[in-house]
Amino acid sequence: MSDTTVVESAGFASPACSMHEVDPHYTGLTPYSEAEEARNIARWRKAERERLISKRLAVTAETRAHYSASIAATLHRLIGRPRGRIVSVYWPFRGEPDLRTWLEQIGGRGGITALPVVVAKHTPMVFRAWNHGDPLERGIWGIPAPSKGEAVVPDIVIAPLVGYDKQGYRLGYGGGFFDRTLASLPKPAFAIGVGYARSAIPTIYPRKHDIPMNAIVTEQGIQEFER
């Protein structure tokens, strides 16, 4: 890992009016049961997810391209020399940072590049080696994934995020694919959440299954965490 670290200065914001739906102490009521708490957090996450995605989609294509280039440059410094290491990125979806050009550069510098593939709901993903020009097929949500290719175990997993908090927890699309996959890998991977600084929130109200990232990278820099 590079010794160069950019300190992130993003602010955190979340609608105050919904916070009482998660924390019963907000109103002085009797604490929720575990099942009720889980349902309330799920409802809150769904609303927050929709809000953050709408906010992300409001960013112009030109600005997103600028942010993506900045994120790629930061990842370059964070990862350092990729030769001999397996790096998994993702295919951009709904305004996510586009790192496909950077992924090609990783391959050109001796790294092994891969994309995640959803096999079925409620199961870990697999990672398949992929290079620019290799065949793709439509997967879940219509996101392209390698139609064939060697299954690999990544050293570095770059996961897109809808939101993120101060503890390094990532809010995704709700399927739990990345958390489930990171927990099932035969060896720990260095997990990097990637998104925009405007996606910062105070907390995602992490549950037992949520896995914090080793680092969060946005257009404003890096935040690193113990995992």
Side-chain angles (χ1 to χ4, degrees):
M1 187 184 302
S2 168
D3 293 332
T4 304
T5 300
V6 181
V7 178
E8 177 142 8
S9 59
F12 294 84
S14 183
C17 62
S18 66
M19 301 307 289
H20 67 282
E21 297 177 7
V22 177
D23 186 358
H25 296 290
Y26 186 91
T27 55
L29 300 176
T30 301
Y32 296 124
S33 69
E34 187 173 344
E36 288 173 321
E37 182 181 25
R39 287 193 294 270
N40 284 333
I41 289 175
R43 283 195 294 266
W44 179 85
R45 285 187 178 185
K46 182 182 180 198
E48 194 70 349
R49 194 176 288 121
E50 292 171 356
R51 181 185 75 85
L52 291 168
I53 290 174
S54 295
K55 192 175 179 180
R56 185 173 74 194
L57 290 172
V59 179
T60 67
E62 181 181 6
T63 299
R64 282 202 298 267
H66 175 72
Y67 287 171
S68 295
S70 177
I71 289 168
T74 301
L75 287 171
H76 178 79
R77 297 194 299 273
L78 176 63
I79 291 174
R81 295 181 180 179
R83 181 171 296 278
R85 290 192 285 175
I86 300 173
V87 181
S88 172
V89 186
Y90 58 87
W91 199 269
F93 175 68
R94 301 192 71 184
E96 293 169 344
D98 188 347
L99 300 175
R100 287 175 292 183
T101 298
W102 179 75
L103 187 63
E104 290 182 46
Q105 294 171 358
I106 291 292
R109 294 166 55 215
I112 300 167
T113 55
L115 291 176
V117 180
V118 175
V119 178
K121 291 182 178 179
H122 312 302
T123 61
M125 297 183 292
V126 299
F127 299 91
R128 287 183 183 155
W130 181 83
N131 293 297
H132 179 72
D134 290 348
L136 296 165
E137 61 185 9
R138 295 285 175 180
I140 189 170
W141 298 313
I143 301 173
S147 56
K148 58 182 180 180
E150 180 187 359
V152 296
V153 177
D155 300 295
I156 299 168
V157 173
I158 298 178
L161 55 83
V162 174
Y164 67 96
D165 67 18
K166 298 176 182 179
Q167 289 73 46
Y169 286 100
R170 165 188 169 273
L171 180 67
Y173 291 100
F177 289 110
F178 275 98
D179 290 318
R180 194 176 292 112
T181 302
L182 289 171
S184 68
L185 290 176
K187 64 177 183 179
F190 189 81
I192 306 173
V194 167
Y196 305 127
R198 66 188 62 206
S199 298
I201 55 178
T203 182
I204 72 161
Y205 293 95
R207 310 295 290 166
K208 291 180 181 179
H209 63 270
D210 290 311
I211 295 178
M213 300 289 99
N214 293 103
I216 299 288
V217 174
T218 74
E219 76 280 5
Q220 291 188 4
I222 305 168
Q223 285 184 312
E224 295 191 67
F225 307 91
E226 293 293 331
R227 201 185 97 197

